Amino acid sequence: MTQKVRANKVLYSEKQFGSALESLGSAIREPNFNEYVRDAIIQRFEYTYETAWKAIKSVLSYQGLSSR
């Protein structure tokens, strides 16, 4: 992969993480809390966690470090 492609992948991963974090925040602030909102918060947390992990991997790869 070229340096530009890696940089774009990092930017995309960071954007995805930011969007996931905003989505999680809006679910947490939902005033009408019930079991469905709780389930949505859990699912959004899992998605946010995964996108954070992918963003971290992307940054580390960009810096020349690899995960095993």
Side-chain angles (χ1 to χ4, degrees):
M1 251 193 280
T2 68
Q3 196 72 358
K4 186 175 182 177
V5 171
R6 285 187 190 144
N8 286 338
K9 188 173 180 182
V10 168
L11 292 175
Y12 178 77
S13 295
E14 289 176 349
K15 183 179 176 184
Q16 289 295 105
F17 172 65
S19 295
L21 196 57
E22 286 180 30
S23 177
L24 175 61
S26 69
I28 290 171
R29 290 186 298 274
E30 174 62 41
N32 300 319
F33 192 84
N34 58 39
E35 68 181 286
Y36 301 110
V37 173
R38 184 202 64 209
D39 291 347
I41 291 170
I42 291 169
Q43 189 170 20
R44 289 181 186 194
F45 173 81
E46 291 170 347
Y47 179 72
T48 303
Y49 181 88
E50 285 297 317
T51 56
W53 173 240
K54 288 178 183 177
I56 291 167
K57 283 177 56 176
S58 182
V59 169
L60 291 176
S61 175
Y62 180 74
Q63 293 177 348
L65 303 170
S66 64
S67 61
R68 298 185 198 265

